[in-house]
Amino acid sequence: MIIAVDGPAGAGKSTVSKILAQRLGFLYIDTGAMYRALTLKALEDNTDLKDEEKVIELVSSISIDLINNPDGSLKVLLDGRDVSRLIREPRITKSVSDIAKIKGVREKMLILQRGLGLKNNAVLDGRDIGTVVFPNADKKFYIDANFKERVRRRYKELKEMGQEVTEEDIDKDLRNRDTIDSTRKIAPLRKADDAVLIDTTDMTIEEVANKMFEIIDNG
Ligand code: DC
């Protein structure tokens, strides 16, 4: 069984997807983390991010593994190295949307993500899961929240991770990523016609997870 969870940054997708996967005993696949791991590799190798050929070469040469820890958290391995924290740094967040808009990169990620999903019952979260990666997913959700609330949540999350950020930085980053992610030519962020829209602005994470669980349970 495949559950697709799409939506913009900061809407609460990854938190609820993790909860859902844990409750259902499914694999949690954070597809954004895969684009982030590639971005980290490109920055570490001083690859010119505008050189699409080079970035595409890079994506074919690395291995990305997602390990679900028993406590529900996610470990991201880049060529066997734990990069779970590094990929959340602002320098990665700033560049990831530019990497994710490259056609050859998305083609490679699509193969990896489908491979993972076909081998497991899985909850996948991202931008194009219900539209492109798994258009026949058993259940599709589109998780959204108003812009101000998304900024507030992302700010709180990064502060809790110990990052020195301001709400202004987050506002700028989300605006920029929303624009790139939803206007790119390949697989832009869009609600699938058959996805259930959940506006989480005034909901707690538990309420969102319960609602999704109910919808899945009722077929
Ligand atoms: O969910 P996130 O913020 O970790 O995702 C990071 C970036 O990766 C996001 O700005 C766009 C890109 N992404 C994508 O293009 N397609 C996906 N399925 C997941 C993420």
Side-chain angles (χ1 to χ4, degrees):
M1 182 171 186
I2 294 287
I3 298 172
V5 185
D6 290 303
K13 282 186 319 284
S14 60
T15 313
V16 289
S17 298
K18 253 180 240 165
I19 295 173
L20 216 60
Q22 218 187 6
R23 272 199 212 168
L24 294 164
F26 285 15
L27 182 68
Y28 166 55
I29 303 173
D30 177 349
T31 62
M34 299 171 77
Y35 288 98
R36 285 172 179 271
L38 171 63
T39 306
L40 174 65
K41 178 71 179 172
L43 291 180
E44 284 181 344
D45 280 16
N46 287 319
T47 306
D48 176 2
L49 304 187
K50 290 199 176 67
D51 187 340
E52 300 200 354
E53 288 302 309
K54 282 263 158 58
V55 179
I56 295 166
E57 251 172 54
L58 205 59
V59 70
S60 306
S61 71
I62 59 170
S63 75
I64 301 169
D65 293 295
L66 302 176
I67 313 284
N68 285 200
N69 292 319
D71 67 356
S73 63
L74 179 79
K75 192 188 273 184
V76 183
L77 301 180
L78 170 63
D79 294 328
R81 175 169 59 115
D82 185 352
V83 295
S84 314
R85 283 189 77 82
L86 276 178
I87 60 166
R88 305 292 163 194
E89 288 186 354
R91 65 193 172 111
I92 306 296
T93 307
K94 200 163 141 262
S95 298
V96 62
S97 288
D98 285 322
I99 292 261
K101 70 182 182 197
I102 301 172
K103 184 166 176 262
V105 165
R106 301 205 71 84
E107 285 169 354
K108 180 73 202 283
M109 291 295 185
L110 181 80
I111 294 169
L112 291 176
Q113 290 159 10
R114 279 200 185 143
L116 286 171
L118 290 174
K119 271 192 282 186
N120 303 279
N121 283 322
V123 178
L124 292 95
D125 92 42
R127 305 290 188 287
D128 61 338
I129 308 303
T131 50
V132 176
V133 182
F134 282 105
N136 296 321
D138 300 274
K139 269 287 166 241
K140 297 182 190 178
F141 295 96
Y142 190 88
I143 307 295
D144 208 347
N146 77 27
F147 186 76
K148 229 173 129 190
E149 179 62 15
R150 291 198 283 124
V151 172
R152 196 191 65 77
R153 287 181 192 168
R154 194 35 69 89
Y155 176 73
K156 189 166 164 269
E157 187 187 330
L158 294 179
K159 273 290 189 195
E160 280 168 7
M161 285 172 74
Q163 288 188 18
E164 278 307 315
V165 286
T166 65
E167 288 207 33
E168 242 183 330
D169 295 334
I170 310 279
D171 185 299
K172 222 166 105 192
D173 162 59
L174 284 194
R175 233 173 258 285
N176 182 40
R177 286 203 291 148
D178 277 3
T179 306
I180 301 176
D181 295 347
S182 55
T183 60
R184 68 179 175 226
K185 284 204 194 79
I186 325 287
L189 169 65
R190 182 172 75 71
K191 178 187 162 302
D193 294 337
D194 52 350
V196 178
L197 170 70
I198 302 180
D199 181 341
T200 68
T201 307
D202 298 314
M203 295 171 83
T204 65
I205 286 294
E206 270 308 306
E207 284 170 341
V208 181
N210 286 341
K211 181 165 181 175
M212 291 168 82
F213 202 62
E214 232 171 72
I215 293 170
I216 293 165
D217 235 16
N218 291 333

